[in-house]
Structures are given as structure tokens and as C-alpha cells.
Amino acid sequence: MEEKKEIRKLITEKKKQYTEDQLKELSSVITGNVKENVVLKCAKTVLLYYSLPDEVFTHDFVEKLSQEKTVLL
């Protein structure tokens, strides 16, 4: 259990190294790759998360995708 706490702490520290602009830029690459996934393209309903400040930014992706598909958060 202690090792798990240490890993979480390291991940939290690493996530803090990115500015908001850097995170959005990196997130754009990730969501762009997801957008090209054939399973997503065929799906009518998609389950996503609305990101917290230190996570992959999904707000724009959710908004855009919700114009084409049913999005469950």
C-alpha cells in the first residue's frame, strides 16, 4: 500500500510540471488520436469524463463530440 501512495504522489508531482497551455496542447494530441479511432467513429453513444484541472483536457472534445453522438459523462 505504501508503494501505491508513493506512485500516486510521483504522478501528482509530474502533472504539476505542465502549464495550462501545455496541458491543453498535449491533450489536443490525445483527443485527436481518440477521435480517429474506428470504434469511436462507429459508436452512437460514448462514455467520457469531464476533466479536472490536472487531467487530460476533455471539455472541448466533449462539446464537439456531443454534436454528433450521445455523450455520457
Side-chain angles (χ1 to χ4, degrees), residues 7-23:
I7 292 171
R8 285 184 176 161
K9 185 177 177 182
L10 287 171
I11 291 170
T12 299
E13 291 302 315
K14 283 203 174 270
K15 289 195 300 186
K16 288 180 183 177
Q17 73 182 347
Y18 298 105
T19 66
E20 184 178 339
D21 288 338
Q22 288 173 318
L23 185 58

Side-chain angles (χ1 to χ4, degrees), residues 21-49:
D21 288 338
Q22 288 173 318
L23 185 58
K24 283 186 177 182
E25 185 176 327
L26 293 168
S27 297
S28 178
V29 173
I30 293 168
T31 56
N33 287 336
V34 171
K35 183 179 160 189
E36 294 305 313
N37 182 286
V38 72
V39 175
L40 178 69
K41 286 182 177 183
C42 295
K44 294 179 182 176
T45 303
V46 180
L47 178 63
L48 293 171
Y49 70 94

